């Protein structure tokens, strides 16, 4: 789960990490009130779950409440790479002396947290990695040890942090690692990490991603979820504990098992079609579960045909066929469904469907045949 | 000899009194796996259709000689269940549970790895050696014995390919479900080394998917030290970046972890990659036929 | 550092572990006031750093303040195995339903904490170990894991704790382990751990030892030290950061290095003498350091002769001889000193001492000769 | 070849800019030890009489090929210094520091041990291979080269016995100061195995003291697999129970850890135990003479 900057900063503040004082605003009026309350120079920042808002005009430094109001007016509703700005962070302006970059990522390859630090703050870190690789210090932390003082020394020395700044930066690194561990983060990024004119070290931005599987122990973070920003199908799938990802084609796809469904998406594309979604119904074969999954797939208006791809294992294909027939009773189906059943008891399952002779269903024996048919049907309907 | 699931397996099922635990423990035993014990705290002295239940894994080790543990418990207890088995002296642990927090698995990984304990999973279907033993939830019906080692990050995709091979009359030495999580105990490289050392494995099928770079690392190892023919299939060419495709580990981060990159890395090392499961099975069938 | 029961219970309470309400009392009047304040039945308990106070009459359950006063009168000043009772713990009486025993020790052999649990509470655990070994459950905890839920389950199952009590006892085990880790304890023992009639689980006693080397991070524990109970020589040595242990003989011993001094103590005994102390002066050879060490040894009235045993290594024997001669200038020496110098520059050192011809000094070349001389001199003086 | 301190040693001194650190780093170098680097955070770029100083151990490993670390830092930083060296890939760490909290050492021990990293100490004088290399604070003046491996929990007691042997014309392959703390990285058993495998060691002297049961465990191992003659000395027969005799590890707990028990255990396995250092040295001298 990706957090907005202001949410990430809430977690930072809880961990004792300095951030600029700020207010969240959903309307122009709220933005003005926040600017008035903070007084003086403020920064009006678009809160979107995507990078590059600065270049897109999503961040403005303004001198007073009038200017803040105007900035809010300009930024609310702003489309930043497909993300519409619906909330603003109004922050007290600070006098920045120096900008660094620090991040902690969950490095699956090394199976360790990876810390990155550079004095080239404020820039895109991919640029630094590509064009100034010597300036980007990288360090893995063995999770059996956790972050220790010597990790900080190593990383800061490699990044060229001046010796007189190491106490402050080292303490900040420890705190950020603390957030990474305590909040089950997959990413904690601060860009820029800034020294103010008065020597204070402060996290001027916050990009935090929390492990979905760990949200059960972070109800405060779970409550931060912005349901309004979610796709309606994705939201419905989430409520039903189904794995769903929207794509932009017209062939709806559901099947059992993430790998098989990913493969089905690929096969549809190989057959010349355009997949509309990924949906893993998981194990089991109740009519209720299949009904919910079909309803989510079909609630996407673009869908012109549906491929239901099952490889029966412990759940047998005859059970799946019965579940599917039950689902067809329970909901109205507005597009043709191609069903492929393979694996345990596939023949019995196919026989059940053939006997039922539902007009909306075409039964195929193999995955490739089923894909070809689903693509053809979608093209006919469009 | 096969690997992981063998005739020497003495299995303890952690979470045996749960619905899933009971179902699969009995299924595994029916298949011929030597299920010697179950564990559910507070249930010592009971039995599950003759399988004795203990409070703690260490009791199953001491009283029943368990040497392999199957973990089927809810995600919030799973990491600790693995650690319990590890501390009890179980040398091989298979964890089915899906949804374990990634940080928990970091801790588990760095505890067991230096201590030489083998973990398969989590979020995996287990391991099946057709005709010998089945540990976990793989539907044994689909597979038959044979010379092909099959290793995969995906359950149903494995069954798909195993089913296609079986339809062509080909069978497997062991099917290893590696698991769909970002941090798993047994990587492709570990499984390759197991298969390379296994007398009954003559060919290897590798089923990968988007996310991470384990397939790329495996390609290096295949070129370096695997002499048995390897055929691969990768899922997720059409997956958009930044989206978790069902498995917690199936996510393209930035430009890393794409299916195309994995295919390229494998082909660069001479591994033939099928464009779909059917083609991958066909390539393997041709290879076996040409022997 | 061994803690009194009431100090251990302070640490317990800080960690959320239930203990009976209590007051510390140094006088009979304080004990009476505490009993009045608590009201009803109270327990008057001797606070000494030794076991077996129950059998020695150091614990009395009384019904009211008058009886508490009488009990305090009896217990204050009570000698329990050489420890004089100088403080009391007055606790509210509780209705005990069941008594268990639990301890966590620092097992150097396994290099792991060792938990022990038995339902035979209130008894001497050595008795349980010897006479009912099956009743004493033992479990090592790998420090790389720390105490986990499954450790509790294992231990409680092995000890035969009823299933319906495991939640409460398991939580208590986790808390006690928390104290063991957080406070750098070498021992945490609760005997008995009691279930009250109302089902509450409570630590009815507390025996806690803290690692001296870790006291720098536990100033609150360091402040609990009862200087009044310490031997005056041990206290002086402690203040000077010298390792000193009082023995009951008449030959004072000092030397460099713990092993060599232990060996010197043994050799004195082998030579028919009775060692008066162990004192390790450590490395270095300043007159000041040697003066302090000599003063501590000689402030024990029993000492009739002193053996100063040095094996020169990095610190050379000639330096030590100079330091010793300086020390003799700085303090008055009331007993003969036998000096043995060996190792680096031993001959030069011995020559310096011989030249100085101090009447209180006898120089010997070997450790065995020096021991024989020191024993002879002590016998002559007694 | 000798052990621990060898001609292949490339030493990094952690805490080199401290008073003790500088003194012993230079002393070790003067003796002939290859001291390649020092570490003090914030002092990178400086040098100590030609020995380059780095901010972190990993830099000393990468830039100077350090393979052995000598830790001479205050007790509250020592555990972390050991862990830093371990994580930096140093295979052998010698820690002189006295006064490290016991719980810190538990953590260190269980981190390094499964990872195959060797630690000597803490609270030890180090290791000296006369004529080859000296790592730590052992006064090399006292010893000469020879066939006797010497291992000890006490510093000066080692010097005492080494001095007595030298006076009889006998020398040492390596002197290993194991350290006086309750949790040490190298036990008598570890040192016995090192000496058993070392070509230059023909005889072994073991200097124990009260506390713990490492001498008793060593007795078992001597009987089991040590073919070289072992002579022992134990200090602390007169020590009262419950009192720490200088070394944090030298304490009799209840009835465990007495010198008499250790002597008995060793003699039961045929190890000759001297009643004082002089006698122990004489027994060894007789043994060597009879060869």
């Amino acid at each position: 789960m990706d957090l907005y900057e202001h949410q990430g900063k809430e977690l930072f503040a809880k961990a004792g990490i300095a951030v600029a004082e700020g207010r969240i605003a959903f309307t122009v009026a709220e933005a003005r009130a926040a600017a008035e309350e903070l007084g003086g120079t403020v920064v009006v920042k678009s809160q979107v779950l995507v990078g590059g808002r600065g270049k897109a005009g999503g961040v403005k430094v303004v001198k007073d409440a009038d200017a803040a109001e105007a900035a809010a007016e300009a930024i609310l509703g702003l489309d930043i790479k497909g993300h519409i700005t619906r909330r603003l962070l109004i922050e007290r302006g600070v006098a920045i002396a120096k900008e660094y970059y620090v991040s902690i990522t969950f490095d699956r390859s090394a199976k360790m947290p990876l810390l990155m630090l550079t004095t080239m703050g404020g820039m895109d870190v991919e640029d630094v990695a590509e064009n100034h690789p010597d300036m980007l210090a990288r360090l893995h932390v063995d999770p059996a040890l956790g972050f220790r003082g010597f990790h900080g020394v190593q990383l800061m020395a490699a990044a060229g942090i001046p010796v007189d700044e190491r106490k402050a930066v080292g303490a900040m690194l420890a705190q950020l690692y603390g957030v990474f561990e305590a909040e089950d983060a997959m990413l904690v990024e601060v860009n820029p990490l800034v020294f103010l004119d008065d020597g204070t070290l402060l996290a001027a931005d916050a990009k935090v991603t929390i492990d979905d599987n760990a949200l059960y122990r972070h109800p405060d973070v779970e409550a931060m979820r912005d349901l309004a920003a979610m796709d309606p199908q994705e939201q419905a799938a989430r409520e039903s504990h189904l794995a769903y990802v929207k794509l932009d084609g017209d062939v709806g796809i559901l099947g059992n098992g993430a790998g098989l469904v990913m493969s089905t998406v690929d096969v549809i594309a190989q057959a010349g079609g355009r997949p509309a979604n990924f949906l893993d119904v998981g194990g089991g074969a109740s009519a209720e579960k299949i009904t919910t999954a079909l309803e989510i797939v079909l609630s996407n208006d673009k869908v012109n045909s549906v491929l239901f791809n099952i490889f029966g294992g412990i759940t047998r294909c005859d059970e799946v066929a019965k579940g599917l027939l039950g689902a067809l009773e329970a909901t109205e189906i507005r597009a043709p469904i191609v069903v492929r059943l393979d694996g345990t008891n596939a023949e019995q399952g196919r026989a059940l469907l053939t006997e039922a002779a539902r007009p909306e269903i075409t039964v195929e024996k193999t995955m490739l045949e089923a894909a070809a048919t689903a693509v053809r049907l979608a093209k006919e309907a469009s | 000899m096969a690997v992981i699931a063998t005739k020497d397996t003495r299995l303890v099922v952690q979470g045996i009194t749960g619905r899933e635990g009971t179902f699969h423990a009995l299924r595994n035993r029916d298949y011929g796996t030597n299920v010697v014990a179950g564990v559910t705290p507070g249930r010592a002295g009971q039995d599950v259709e003759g399988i004795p239940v203990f409070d703690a894994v260490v009791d199953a080790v001491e009283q029943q000689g368990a040497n392999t543990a199957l973990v089927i418990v809810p995600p919030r207890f799973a990491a600790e269940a693995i650690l319990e088995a590890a501390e009890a002296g179980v040398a091989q642990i298979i964890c089915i549970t899906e949804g374990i927090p990634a940080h928990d698995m970091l801790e588990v990984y760095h505890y067991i790895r230096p201590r030489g304990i083998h973990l398969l999973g989590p979020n995996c279907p287990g391991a099946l050696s057709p005709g010998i033993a089945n540990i976990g939830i793989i539907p044994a019906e689909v597979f038959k014995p044979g010379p092909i080692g099959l290793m995969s990050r995906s359950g149903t995709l494995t069954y798909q390919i195993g089913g296609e091979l079986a339809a062509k009359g080909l069978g497997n030495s062991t099917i290893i479900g590696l698991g769909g999580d970002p941090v798993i105990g047994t990587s492709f490289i570990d499984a390759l080394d197991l298969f390379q050392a296994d007398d009954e494995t003559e060919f290897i099928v590798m089923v990968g998917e988007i996310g991470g770079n384990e397939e790329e690392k495996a390609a290096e190892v295949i070129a370096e030290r695997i002499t048995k023919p390897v055929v691969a299939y990768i899922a997720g060419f059409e997956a958009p970046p930044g989206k978790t495709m069902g498995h917690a580990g199936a996510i393209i981060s930035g430009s890393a972890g794409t299916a195309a990159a994995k295919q390229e890395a494998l082909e660069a090392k001479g591994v033939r990659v099928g464009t779909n499961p059917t083609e991958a099975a066909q390539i393997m069938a041709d290879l076996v036929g040409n022997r």
Side-chain angles (χ1 to χ4, degrees), chain A, chain B:
Chain A
M1 175 183 167
D2 295 331
L3 303 191
Y4 289 114
E5 175 191 4
H6 74 93
Q7 296 169 332
K9 284 182 172 175
E10 260 183 56
L11 299 184
F12 285 3
K14 199 174 76 179
I17 296 167
V19 294
E21 197 185 348
R23 304 278 184 276
I24 187 77
F26 292 91
T27 64
V28 172
E30 284 174 10
R32 182 185 179 94
E36 279 171 354
E37 205 189 333
L38 292 168
T41 300
V42 297
V43 190
V44 181
K45 299 163 117 175
S46 163
Q47 299 292 287
V48 283
L49 297 176
V50 68
R53 65 185 172 170
K55 284 181 196 157
V59 178
K60 289 188 197 298
V61 182
V62 294
K63 295 248 176 262
D64 57 27
D66 285 346
E69 188 174 331
E73 198 117 28
I75 298 175
L76 274 172
L78 188 68
D79 182 335
I80 301 174
K81 299 182 186 170
H83 293 246
I84 308 301
T85 304
R86 289 197 178 85
R87 57 177 78 189
L88 301 171
L89 175 61
I90 318 295
E91 275 190 342
R92 190 189 297 285
V94 291
I96 293 174
K98 258 187 179 177
E99 296 189 330
Y100 292 164
Y101 166 97
V102 60
S103 67
I104 311 172
T105 52
F106 191 101
D107 183 349
R108 315 167 40 157
S109 179
K111 297 192 173 69
M112 292 190 190
L114 171 66
L115 276 77
M116 291 196 278
L117 176 66
T118 173
T119 55
M120 301 182 84
M123 291 180 55
D124 185 353
V125 71
E126 274 87 30
D127 286 355
V128 179
E130 198 169 317
N131 302 317
H132 309 277
D134 289 354
M135 297 295 289
L136 185 63
R138 298 158 52 92
L139 177 74
H140 284 108
V141 173
D142 183 341
L145 285 181
F147 183 84
R148 306 275 175 153
F150 67 81
H151 287 119
V153 171
Q154 253 172 259
L155 188 68
M156 291 187 289
I161 304 289
V163 171
D164 63 345
E165 292 176 0
R166 290 191 190 171
K167 200 173 164 190
V169 176
M172 173 70 88
L173 291 173
Q175 286 174 312
L176 290 170
Y177 193 90
V179 169
F180 183 79
E181 269 202 327
E183 304 289 351
D184 280 294
M186 304 304 281
L187 168 70
V188 170
E189 186 185 63
V190 179
N191 189 20
L193 176 70
V194 298
F195 271 109
L196 303 188
D197 286 348
D198 66 2
T200 312
L201 186 61
L202 175 147
D205 196 359
K207 198 169 163 187
V208 176
T209 304
I210 305 297
D211 179 10
D212 286 324
N213 282 340
L215 286 174
Y216 74 84
R217 53 191 177 204
H218 303 287
D220 55 329
V221 175
E222 173 79 67
M224 290 177 178
R225 192 182 293 278
D226 184 8
L227 296 173
M230 284 181 81
D231 172 88
Q233 278 87 37
E234 291 188 359
Q235 200 180 324
R238 186 179 168 74
E239 282 166 10
S240 307
H241 303 287
L242 291 168
Y244 174 94
V245 175
K246 197 175 208 165
L247 304 169
D248 56 6
D250 60 355
V251 181
I253 294 166
L254 60 168
N256 63 331
L260 184 64
V261 179
M262 262 188 277
S263 180
T264 309
V265 169
D266 290 353
V267 168
I268 287 290
Q270 286 168 13
R274 293 179 303 121
N277 69 274
F278 163 103
L279 193 159
D280 176 10
V281 297
S286 73
E288 195 188 355
K289 197 167 185 180
I290 296 174
T291 305
T292 308
L294 275 172
E295 281 175 349
I296 290 170
V297 169
L298 289 169
S299 68
N300 174 1
D301 292 340
K302 287 186 175 175
V303 167
N304 287 327
S305 73
V306 175
L307 172 48
F308 186 62
N309 187 14
I310 295 293
F311 193 95
I314 287 165
T315 303
R316 302 188 308 266
C317 287
D318 50 342
E319 291 168 4
V320 175
K322 283 177 203 159
L324 177 58
L325 291 172
L328 297 187
E329 300 298 325
T331 188
E332 203 174 327
I333 305 298
R334 60 160 190 80
I337 303 180
V338 181
V339 182
R340 177 264 185 160
L341 294 178
D342 202 347
T344 312
N345 291 7
E347 276 176 45
Q348 293 93 314
R350 287 195 292 269
L352 280 173
L353 294 181
T354 311
E355 278 163 31
R358 302 279 310 203
E360 57 275 70
I361 285 188
T362 312
V363 179
E364 296 286 4
K365 201 174 163 186
T366 74
M367 185 162 154
L368 298 185
E369 286 161 1
T373 304
V375 170
R376 179 174 52 77
L377 290 174
K379 283 188 178 155
E380 286 172 10
S382 70
Chain B
M1 185 53 214
V3 300
I4 303 178
T6 73
K7 58 179 174 44
D8 297 329
T9 297
R10 294 180 66 83
L11 191 68
V12 52
V13 178
Q14 292 174 263
I16 195 168
T17 59
R19 200 172 53 87
E20 296 281 307
T22 300
F23 178 75
H24 292 291
L26 296 177
R27 234 184 106 258
N28 286 178
R29 186 176 67 173
D30 289 346
Y31 190 75
T33 312
N34 190 6
V35 182
V36 299
V39 167
T40 300
R43 300 287 193 96
Q46 303 183 6
D47 73 298
V48 170
E49 303 206 6
I51 303 168
V53 178
F54 298 92
D55 278 332
V57 177
V58 72
D59 299 328
V61 171
E62 286 173 6
Q63 294 176 44
Q64 295 290 106
N67 59 18
T68 302
L70 176 63
V71 177
I72 310 189
V73 303
R76 66 184 68 186
F77 306 117
E80 197 169 293
I82 297 169
L83 293 173
E84 179 185 354
E87 241 209 350
V90 173
Q92 187 169 263
I93 303 161
I94 290 111
C95 180
I96 303 304
T97 307
E98 177 175 2
I100 303 177
H103 281 255
D104 288 5
M105 282 312 303
L106 273 194
E107 184 191 22
V108 166
Y109 187 86
H110 290 277
Y111 182 78
I112 63 167
R113 201 83 184 178
R115 290 167 176 80
I117 297 158
H118 295 278
L119 172 68
L120 179 61
N123 191 11
C124 84
L128 162 67
S129 300
I132 300 171
N134 190 11
I135 307 174
I137 65 174
I138 296 178
E141 302 78 2
V142 177
F143 302 90
K144 56 171 71 171
I148 305 169
L150 183 48
M151 56 183 189
S152 169
R153 284 169 64 192
S154 153
T156 42
L157 206 43
T158 314
Y159 314 157
Q160 168 78 32
I161 290 180
E164 303 223 29
L165 289 171
K168 297 177 200 302
L170 298 174
N172 303 101
S173 52
T174 302
I175 297 97
I176 309 181
L178 302 176
D181 271 4
V183 178
I184 51 177
T186 301
S187 67
F188 281 122
I189 292 173
D190 298 325
L192 282 166
D193 287 333
L194 287 174
F195 283 138
Q196 177 69 26
D198 176 41
D199 288 344
E200 298 201 357
T201 302
E202 295 171 41
F203 307 88
I204 301 170
V205 174
M206 167 179 182
V207 183
E209 62 188 34
I210 56 163
N213 65 348
E214 295 299 330
E215 290 84 355
E216 288 89 330
K217 291 197 280 186
E220 300 289 333
V221 167
I222 289 168
E224 208 177 283
R225 61 174 183 255
I226 304 301
T227 59
K228 300 178 182 182
V230 181
V231 171
Y233 170 68
I234 307 290
F237 280 84
E238 299 297 319
K243 293 285 186 178
T244 302
M245 304 299 276
H247 287 158
I251 179 168
I252 297 167
S253 306
S255 59
T258 65
K262 292 170 191 299
Q263 178 178 14
E264 200 181 318
L266 286 161
E267 288 181 341
K269 299 296 179 186
V271 178
R272 290 188 62 188
V273 182
T275 56
N276 56 55
T278 310
E279 190 184 302
Q282 188 58 53
I283 294 171
M284 181 46 77
D286 293 347
L287 263 177
V288 178
N290 290 338
R291 271 274 166 121

